[in-house]
Amino acid sequence: MSNYTSIVSPLPGIVYLQPSPEEAVYVKPGDQINIGDVIAIIEIMKTFYEITAEQDGVFEAYMVKNGDTVDDGDTIATLKVDNSVI
């Protein structure tokens, strides 16, 4: 059984979905991601914080755009997780 979970911002700041303007986004819809994979970074006063996946799953979509301002608790992305019991 699969369901969806949100990856939320733990703090306010500016969200970036790629490591630099010249590089691709961290993840694309359909990508398999694992616990600890970076999916975005948040900048606060020139300090950058990595936002990582807290569960394994399939990346669904970003809910923000590159350069958007986010607040604590805002959804950054959605992840499809498999909660089946073997």
Side-chain angles (χ1 to χ4, degrees):
M1 178 173 169
S2 296
N3 67 358
Y4 297 87
T5 188
S6 296
I7 299 172
V8 298
S9 175
L11 39 95
I14 299 171
V15 66
Y16 296 103
L17 309 179
Q18 57 201 81
S20 72
E22 300 80 31
E23 296 182 65
V25 293
Y26 284 102
V27 290
K28 298 181 295 295
D31 285 354
Q32 175 67 42
I33 62 173
N34 300 305
I35 294 172
D37 286 352
V38 176
I39 61 109
I41 53 176
I42 293 181
E43 176 189 3
I44 302 173
M45 298 174 57
K46 301 296 178 197
T47 302
F48 296 88
Y49 299 89
E50 291 182 339
I51 306 304
T52 58
E54 295 181 0
Q55 292 182 301
D56 294 342
V58 177
F59 185 79
E60 285 294 309
Y62 284 113
M63 300 286 103
V64 295
K65 293 181 182 163
N66 197 49
D68 280 357
T69 300
V70 293
D71 288 319
D72 179 23
D74 284 355
T75 300
I76 294 175
T78 56
L79 180 66
K80 183 177 182 182
V81 293
D82 185 6
N83 290 332
S84 60
V85 177
I86 299 175

Short mmCIF file of all heavy atoms in Angstrom, two decimals, residues 1-56:
data_model
loop_
_atom_site.label_atom_id
_atom_site.label_comp_id
_atom_site.label_asym_id
_atom_site.label_seq_id
_atom_site.Cartn_x
_atom_site.Cartn_y
_atom_site.Cartn_z
N MET A 1 0.84 -1.18 0.00
CA MET A 1 0.00 0.00 0.00
C MET A 1 0.88 1.24 0.00
O MET A 1 1.78 1.36 0.81
CB MET A 1 -0.89 -0.01 1.23
CG MET A 1 -1.78 1.17 1.36
SD MET A 1 -2.88 0.86 2.76
CE MET A 1 -3.56 2.44 2.92
N SER A 2 0.64 2.14 -0.91
CA SER A 2 1.42 3.36 -1.00
C SER A 2 0.60 4.54 -0.52
O SER A 2 -0.62 4.56 -0.62
CB SER A 2 1.86 3.61 -2.44
OG SER A 2 2.71 2.59 -2.89
N ASN A 3 1.29 5.53 0.02
CA ASN A 3 0.65 6.79 0.33
C ASN A 3 1.66 7.91 0.12
O ASN A 3 2.78 7.68 -0.29
CB ASN A 3 0.05 6.78 1.74
CG ASN A 3 1.08 6.70 2.84
OD1 ASN A 3 2.27 6.62 2.60
ND2 ASN A 3 0.61 6.71 4.07
N TYR A 4 1.24 9.11 0.39
CA TYR A 4 2.07 10.26 0.11
C TYR A 4 2.41 10.98 1.41
O TYR A 4 1.63 10.99 2.35
CB TYR A 4 1.33 11.22 -0.84
CG TYR A 4 1.07 10.57 -2.17
CD1 TYR A 4 -0.07 9.82 -2.39
CD2 TYR A 4 1.99 10.69 -3.21
CE1 TYR A 4 -0.30 9.20 -3.61
CE2 TYR A 4 1.77 10.08 -4.43
CZ TYR A 4 0.63 9.34 -4.63
OH TYR A 4 0.42 8.73 -5.82
N THR A 5 3.59 11.55 1.44
CA THR A 5 4.02 12.35 2.57
C THR A 5 4.63 13.64 2.04
O THR A 5 5.06 13.72 0.90
CB THR A 5 5.02 11.56 3.45
OG1 THR A 5 5.27 12.31 4.64
CG2 THR A 5 6.33 11.32 2.72
N SER A 6 4.63 14.64 2.88
CA SER A 6 5.20 15.94 2.51
C SER A 6 6.58 16.11 3.11
O SER A 6 6.84 15.65 4.22
CB SER A 6 4.30 17.07 3.01
OG SER A 6 3.05 17.02 2.39
N ILE A 7 7.43 16.76 2.37
CA ILE A 7 8.72 17.20 2.90
C ILE A 7 8.54 18.68 3.17
O ILE A 7 8.26 19.46 2.25
CB ILE A 7 9.86 16.94 1.90
CG1 ILE A 7 9.97 15.44 1.61
CG2 ILE A 7 11.18 17.49 2.44
CD1 ILE A 7 10.93 15.08 0.50
N VAL A 8 8.65 19.06 4.44
CA VAL A 8 8.36 20.45 4.83
C VAL A 8 9.62 21.20 5.23
O VAL A 8 10.62 20.60 5.62
CB VAL A 8 7.32 20.51 5.98
CG1 VAL A 8 6.00 19.89 5.56
CG2 VAL A 8 7.84 19.83 7.21
N SER A 9 9.52 22.50 5.14
CA SER A 9 10.63 23.36 5.52
C SER A 9 10.73 23.41 7.05
O SER A 9 9.74 23.69 7.72
CB SER A 9 10.41 24.76 4.98
OG SER A 9 11.44 25.62 5.44
N PRO A 10 11.91 23.15 7.59
CA PRO A 10 12.07 23.23 9.04
C PRO A 10 12.34 24.67 9.53
O PRO A 10 12.37 24.91 10.72
CB PRO A 10 13.29 22.34 9.29
CG PRO A 10 14.10 22.47 8.04
CD PRO A 10 13.09 22.63 6.92
N LEU A 11 12.52 25.59 8.57
CA LEU A 11 12.83 26.97 8.93
C LEU A 11 12.47 27.90 7.79
O LEU A 11 12.29 27.47 6.66
CB LEU A 11 14.32 27.08 9.27
CG LEU A 11 15.31 26.28 8.43
CD1 LEU A 11 15.85 27.12 7.32
CD2 LEU A 11 16.42 25.80 9.31
N PRO A 12 12.35 29.20 8.07
CA PRO A 12 12.02 30.16 7.01
C PRO A 12 13.27 30.54 6.21
O PRO A 12 14.39 30.49 6.73
CB PRO A 12 11.49 31.36 7.79
CG PRO A 12 12.21 31.30 9.09
CD PRO A 12 12.41 29.83 9.39
N GLY A 13 13.06 30.91 4.95
CA GLY A 13 14.18 31.34 4.12
C GLY A 13 13.82 31.26 2.65
O GLY A 13 12.65 31.16 2.28
N ILE A 14 14.84 31.31 1.82
CA ILE A 14 14.66 31.20 0.37
C ILE A 14 15.07 29.79 -0.04
O ILE A 14 16.14 29.32 0.32
CB ILE A 14 15.52 32.24 -0.38
CG1 ILE A 14 15.09 33.65 0.03
CG2 ILE A 14 15.39 32.06 -1.90
CD1 ILE A 14 16.01 34.74 -0.48
N VAL A 15 14.18 29.12 -0.76
CA VAL A 15 14.43 27.73 -1.16
C VAL A 15 15.03 27.69 -2.55
O VAL A 15 14.63 28.42 -3.45
CB VAL A 15 13.14 26.87 -1.08
CG1 VAL A 15 12.12 27.30 -2.09
CG2 VAL A 15 13.44 25.40 -1.24
N TYR A 16 16.04 26.83 -2.68
CA TYR A 16 16.68 26.59 -3.98
C TYR A 16 16.57 25.10 -4.30
O TYR A 16 16.87 24.26 -3.45
CB TYR A 16 18.14 27.04 -3.98
CG TYR A 16 18.27 28.52 -3.78
CD1 TYR A 16 18.65 29.05 -2.55
CD2 TYR A 16 18.00 29.41 -4.82
CE1 TYR A 16 18.76 30.42 -2.36
CE2 TYR A 16 18.10 30.79 -4.64
CZ TYR A 16 18.48 31.28 -3.41
OH TYR A 16 18.58 32.64 -3.22
N LEU A 17 16.13 24.80 -5.49
CA LEU A 17 15.89 23.43 -5.90
C LEU A 17 17.03 22.82 -6.69
O LEU A 17 16.94 21.70 -7.16
CB LEU A 17 14.60 23.36 -6.73
CG LEU A 17 13.37 24.03 -6.10
CD1 LEU A 17 12.17 23.91 -7.02
CD2 LEU A 17 13.08 23.47 -4.72
N GLN A 18 18.12 23.57 -6.83
CA GLN A 18 19.29 23.09 -7.55
C GLN A 18 20.53 23.62 -6.84
O GLN A 18 20.49 24.66 -6.19
CB GLN A 18 19.24 23.54 -9.00
CG GLN A 18 19.13 25.05 -9.19
CD GLN A 18 18.60 25.45 -10.53
OE1 GLN A 18 17.40 25.42 -10.73
NE2 GLN A 18 19.48 25.83 -11.44
N PRO A 19 21.64 22.89 -6.93
CA PRO A 19 22.87 23.29 -6.22
C PRO A 19 23.44 24.63 -6.67
O PRO A 19 24.01 25.36 -5.88
CB PRO A 19 23.85 22.17 -6.52
CG PRO A 19 23.06 21.05 -7.09
CD PRO A 19 21.79 21.62 -7.62
N SER A 20 23.27 24.94 -7.95
CA SER A 20 23.71 26.23 -8.51
C SER A 20 22.87 26.50 -9.75
O SER A 20 22.25 25.59 -10.29
CB SER A 20 25.20 26.18 -8.88
OG SER A 20 25.41 25.38 -10.03
N PRO A 21 22.85 27.75 -10.21
CA PRO A 21 22.02 28.07 -11.39
C PRO A 21 22.38 27.28 -12.64
O PRO A 21 21.54 27.08 -13.51
CB PRO A 21 22.29 29.56 -11.60
CG PRO A 21 22.70 30.08 -10.27
CD PRO A 21 23.46 28.94 -9.62
N GLU A 22 23.62 26.79 -12.72
CA GLU A 22 24.06 26.05 -13.90
C GLU A 22 23.73 24.56 -13.84
O GLU A 22 23.88 23.84 -14.82
CB GLU A 22 25.58 26.20 -14.10
CG GLU A 22 26.06 27.62 -14.29
CD GLU A 22 26.20 28.38 -12.97
OE1 GLU A 22 26.50 27.76 -11.92
OE2 GLU A 22 25.98 29.60 -12.98
N GLU A 23 23.30 24.09 -12.68
CA GLU A 23 23.06 22.65 -12.51
C GLU A 23 21.57 22.32 -12.51
O GLU A 23 20.73 23.18 -12.32
CB GLU A 23 23.70 22.19 -11.19
CG GLU A 23 25.21 22.33 -11.19
CD GLU A 23 25.83 21.83 -9.91
OE1 GLU A 23 25.73 20.62 -9.67
OE2 GLU A 23 26.40 22.65 -9.18
N ALA A 24 21.28 21.05 -12.73
CA ALA A 24 19.90 20.56 -12.75
C ALA A 24 19.33 20.54 -11.32
O ALA A 24 20.08 20.59 -10.34
CB ALA A 24 19.85 19.16 -13.35
N VAL A 25 18.01 20.41 -11.24
CA VAL A 25 17.36 20.29 -9.93
C VAL A 25 17.88 19.05 -9.22
O VAL A 25 18.35 18.10 -9.86
CB VAL A 25 15.82 20.26 -10.06
CG1 VAL A 25 15.28 21.59 -10.55
CG2 VAL A 25 15.36 19.12 -10.93
N TYR A 26 17.79 19.05 -7.89
CA TYR A 26 18.27 17.91 -7.10
C TYR A 26 17.57 16.62 -7.50
O TYR A 26 18.21 15.58 -7.62
CB TYR A 26 18.06 18.16 -5.60
CG TYR A 26 19.06 19.13 -5.02
CD1 TYR A 26 18.70 20.44 -4.76
CD2 TYR A 26 20.35 18.73 -4.71
CE1 TYR A 26 19.61 21.33 -4.22
CE2 TYR A 26 21.27 19.61 -4.17
CZ TYR A 26 20.89 20.91 -3.92
OH TYR A 26 21.80 21.81 -3.39
N VAL A 27 16.24 16.66 -7.63
CA VAL A 27 15.48 15.47 -7.99
C VAL A 27 14.36 15.82 -8.95
O VAL A 27 13.91 16.97 -8.99
CB VAL A 27 14.88 14.75 -6.74
CG1 VAL A 27 15.96 14.09 -5.92
CG2 VAL A 27 14.08 15.70 -5.89
N LYS A 28 13.94 14.83 -9.73
CA LYS A 28 12.86 15.02 -10.69
C LYS A 28 11.73 14.06 -10.35
O LYS A 28 11.97 13.01 -9.74
CB LYS A 28 13.36 14.75 -12.11
CG LYS A 28 14.46 15.69 -12.57
CD LYS A 28 14.90 15.40 -13.98
CE LYS A 28 15.55 14.08 -14.23
NZ LYS A 28 16.81 13.74 -13.64
N PRO A 29 10.49 14.37 -10.76
CA PRO A 29 9.39 13.45 -10.52
C PRO A 29 9.72 12.05 -11.06
O PRO A 29 10.27 11.90 -12.15
CB PRO A 29 8.23 14.08 -11.30
CG PRO A 29 8.54 15.54 -11.28
CD PRO A 29 10.05 15.61 -11.42
N GLY A 30 9.45 11.05 -10.23
CA GLY A 30 9.74 9.68 -10.59
C GLY A 30 11.06 9.16 -10.07
O GLY A 30 11.30 7.95 -10.08
N ASP A 31 11.93 10.06 -9.61
CA ASP A 31 13.22 9.62 -9.06
C ASP A 31 13.02 8.88 -7.75
O ASP A 31 12.23 9.30 -6.90
CB ASP A 31 14.14 10.81 -8.78
CG ASP A 31 14.76 11.42 -10.03
OD1 ASP A 31 14.58 10.86 -11.13
OD2 ASP A 31 15.42 12.48 -9.89
N GLN A 32 13.75 7.78 -7.58
CA GLN A 32 13.78 7.08 -6.29
C GLN A 32 14.72 7.87 -5.37
O GLN A 32 15.84 8.19 -5.76
CB GLN A 32 14.30 5.65 -6.47
CG GLN A 32 14.48 4.89 -5.18
CD GLN A 32 13.17 4.58 -4.47
OE1 GLN A 32 12.19 4.21 -5.11
NE2 GLN A 32 13.14 4.73 -3.17
N ILE A 33 14.24 8.22 -4.18
CA ILE A 33 15.11 8.90 -3.23
C ILE A 33 15.16 8.10 -1.94
O ILE A 33 14.25 7.33 -1.61
CB ILE A 33 14.69 10.36 -2.97
CG1 ILE A 33 13.30 10.47 -2.37
CG2 ILE A 33 14.79 11.19 -4.24
CD1 ILE A 33 12.94 11.89 -1.96
N ASN A 34 16.26 8.27 -1.23
CA ASN A 34 16.50 7.53 0.00
C ASN A 34 16.68 8.51 1.16
O ASN A 34 16.98 9.69 0.95
CB ASN A 34 17.75 6.66 -0.15
CG ASN A 34 17.61 5.67 -1.27
OD1 ASN A 34 16.66 4.89 -1.30
ND2 ASN A 34 18.54 5.70 -2.21
N ILE A 35 16.51 7.98 2.35
CA ILE A 35 16.71 8.80 3.55
C ILE A 35 18.06 9.50 3.45
O ILE A 35 19.07 8.87 3.14
CB ILE A 35 16.65 7.93 4.81
CG1 ILE A 35 15.24 7.36 5.00
CG2 ILE A 35 17.08 8.72 6.05
CD1 ILE A 35 15.13 6.33 6.10
N GLY A 36 18.06 10.81 3.69
CA GLY A 36 19.29 11.57 3.66
C GLY A 36 19.62 12.24 2.34
O GLY A 36 20.50 13.10 2.28
N ASP A 37 18.91 11.86 1.26
CA ASP A 37 19.16 12.51 -0.03
C ASP A 37 18.73 13.98 0.04
O ASP A 37 17.66 14.30 0.56
CB ASP A 37 18.38 11.83 -1.15
CG ASP A 37 18.96 10.49 -1.55
OD1 ASP A 37 20.06 10.13 -1.08
OD2 ASP A 37 18.31 9.79 -2.35
N VAL A 38 19.55 14.86 -0.50
CA VAL A 38 19.23 16.29 -0.53
C VAL A 38 18.19 16.53 -1.62
O VAL A 38 18.35 16.08 -2.75
CB VAL A 38 20.49 17.14 -0.80
CG1 VAL A 38 20.13 18.61 -0.94
CG2 VAL A 38 21.52 16.93 0.29
N ILE A 39 17.11 17.24 -1.27
CA ILE A 39 16.09 17.56 -2.26
C ILE A 39 16.01 19.07 -2.52
O ILE A 39 15.44 19.50 -3.51
CB ILE A 39 14.70 17.01 -1.87
CG1 ILE A 39 14.19 17.59 -0.56
CG2 ILE A 39 14.73 15.50 -1.79
CD1 ILE A 39 13.06 18.53 -0.78
N ALA A 40 16.61 19.87 -1.62
CA ALA A 40 16.61 21.33 -1.77
C ALA A 40 17.56 21.92 -0.73
O ALA A 40 18.05 21.21 0.15
CB ALA A 40 15.20 21.89 -1.56
N ILE A 41 17.81 23.21 -0.86
CA ILE A 41 18.54 23.95 0.18
C ILE A 41 17.75 25.20 0.52
O ILE A 41 17.00 25.73 -0.32
CB ILE A 41 19.98 24.31 -0.25
CG1 ILE A 41 20.01 25.04 -1.59
CG2 ILE A 41 20.86 23.09 -0.28
CD1 ILE A 41 21.40 25.51 -2.00
N ILE A 42 17.90 25.64 1.74
CA ILE A 42 17.25 26.88 2.18
C ILE A 42 18.35 27.84 2.63
O ILE A 42 19.26 27.46 3.38
CB ILE A 42 16.24 26.62 3.31
CG1 ILE A 42 15.07 25.81 2.77
CG2 ILE A 42 15.76 27.95 3.92
CD1 ILE A 42 14.00 25.51 3.76
N GLU A 43 18.24 29.08 2.15
CA GLU A 43 19.21 30.12 2.50
C GLU A 43 18.59 31.07 3.53
O GLU A 43 17.48 31.56 3.35
CB GLU A 43 19.61 30.92 1.27
CG GLU A 43 20.54 32.07 1.59
CD GLU A 43 20.78 32.99 0.41
OE1 GLU A 43 20.18 32.79 -0.66
OE2 GLU A 43 21.55 33.94 0.59
N ILE A 44 19.34 31.29 4.59
CA ILE A 44 18.97 32.29 5.58
C ILE A 44 20.22 33.12 5.85
O ILE A 44 21.23 32.59 6.31
CB ILE A 44 18.52 31.65 6.91
CG1 ILE A 44 17.34 30.73 6.69
CG2 ILE A 44 18.19 32.71 7.93
CD1 ILE A 44 16.97 29.95 7.92
N MET A 45 20.15 34.38 5.52
CA MET A 45 21.26 35.31 5.78
C MET A 45 22.61 34.76 5.29
O MET A 45 23.59 34.72 6.02
CB MET A 45 21.31 35.68 7.26
CG MET A 45 20.06 36.38 7.73
SD MET A 45 19.98 36.69 9.50
CE MET A 45 21.46 37.64 9.75
N LYS A 46 22.63 34.29 4.05
CA LYS A 46 23.84 33.78 3.38
C LYS A 46 24.36 32.47 3.97
O LYS A 46 25.49 32.07 3.72
CB LYS A 46 24.95 34.82 3.36
CG LYS A 46 24.56 36.11 2.66
CD LYS A 46 24.27 35.87 1.20
CE LYS A 46 23.84 37.14 0.51
NZ LYS A 46 23.20 36.93 -0.75
N THR A 47 23.54 31.80 4.78
CA THR A 47 23.87 30.48 5.28
C THR A 47 22.91 29.49 4.62
O THR A 47 21.72 29.75 4.54
CB THR A 47 23.73 30.41 6.82
OG1 THR A 47 24.58 31.41 7.40
CG2 THR A 47 24.13 29.05 7.34
N PHE A 48 23.45 28.37 4.16
CA PHE A 48 22.66 27.40 3.42
C PHE A 48 22.46 26.12 4.23
O PHE A 48 23.41 25.60 4.79
CB PHE A 48 23.33 27.07 2.08
CG PHE A 48 23.39 28.26 1.16
CD1 PHE A 48 24.46 29.14 1.22
CD2 PHE A 48 22.37 28.52 0.27
CE1 PHE A 48 24.51 30.25 0.38
CE2 PHE A 48 22.41 29.61 -0.57
CZ PHE A 48 23.49 30.49 -0.51
N TYR A 49 21.21 25.66 4.27
CA TYR A 49 20.84 24.45 5.00
C TYR A 49 20.26 23.44 4.02
O TYR A 49 19.34 23.76 3.28
CB TYR A 49 19.79 24.78 6.08
CG TYR A 49 20.29 25.77 7.10
CD1 TYR A 49 20.13 27.13 6.90
CD2 TYR A 49 20.93 25.33 8.25
CE1 TYR A 49 20.59 28.05 7.84
CE2 TYR A 49 21.39 26.24 9.19
CZ TYR A 49 21.22 27.60 8.98
OH TYR A 49 21.68 28.50 9.90
N GLU A 50 20.79 22.22 4.06
CA GLU A 50 20.27 21.18 3.18
C GLU A 50 18.95 20.64 3.72
O GLU A 50 18.82 20.39 4.93
CB GLU A 50 21.27 20.02 3.07
CG GLU A 50 22.54 20.39 2.33
CD GLU A 50 23.49 19.22 2.19
OE1 GLU A 50 23.39 18.24 2.98
OE2 GLU A 50 24.35 19.28 1.30
N ILE A 51 17.99 20.44 2.83
CA ILE A 51 16.73 19.79 3.16
C ILE A 51 16.82 18.38 2.60
O ILE A 51 17.02 18.20 1.40
CB ILE A 51 15.53 20.55 2.56
CG1 ILE A 51 15.56 22.03 2.99
CG2 ILE A 51 14.23 19.88 2.95
CD1 ILE A 51 15.59 22.26 4.48
N THR A 52 16.69 17.40 3.48
CA THR A 52 16.89 16.01 3.08
C THR A 52 15.62 15.19 3.27
O THR A 52 14.75 15.55 4.07
CB THR A 52 18.03 15.37 3.87
OG1 THR A 52 17.73 15.43 5.27
CG2 THR A 52 19.36 16.06 3.60
N ALA A 53 15.55 14.09 2.56
CA ALA A 53 14.42 13.17 2.70
C ALA A 53 14.54 12.43 4.03
O ALA A 53 15.63 12.00 4.41
CB ALA A 53 14.42 12.18 1.54
N GLU A 54 13.41 12.30 4.71
CA GLU A 54 13.38 11.57 5.97
C GLU A 54 12.83 10.16 5.79
O GLU A 54 12.78 9.39 6.75
CB GLU A 54 12.55 12.34 6.99
CG GLU A 54 13.20 13.66 7.36
CD GLU A 54 12.41 14.44 8.39
OE1 GLU A 54 11.34 13.98 8.83
OE2 GLU A 54 12.86 15.55 8.74
N GLN A 55 12.41 9.84 4.55
CA GLN A 55 11.92 8.50 4.22
C GLN A 55 12.38 8.14 2.83
O GLN A 55 12.64 9.01 2.01
CB GLN A 55 10.39 8.47 4.23
CG GLN A 55 9.75 8.63 5.59
CD GLN A 55 8.24 8.53 5.48
OE1 GLN A 55 7.62 9.30 4.77
NE2 GLN A 55 7.66 7.58 6.19
N ASP A 56 12.46 6.84 2.57
CA ASP A 56 12.69 6.35 1.21
C ASP A 56 11.38 6.47 0.45
O ASP A 56 10.30 6.33 1.04
CB ASP A 56 13.12 4.88 1.23
CG ASP A 56 14.46 4.64 1.89
OD1 ASP A 56 15.23 5.60 2.05
OD2 ASP A 56 14.72 3.48 2.26
#
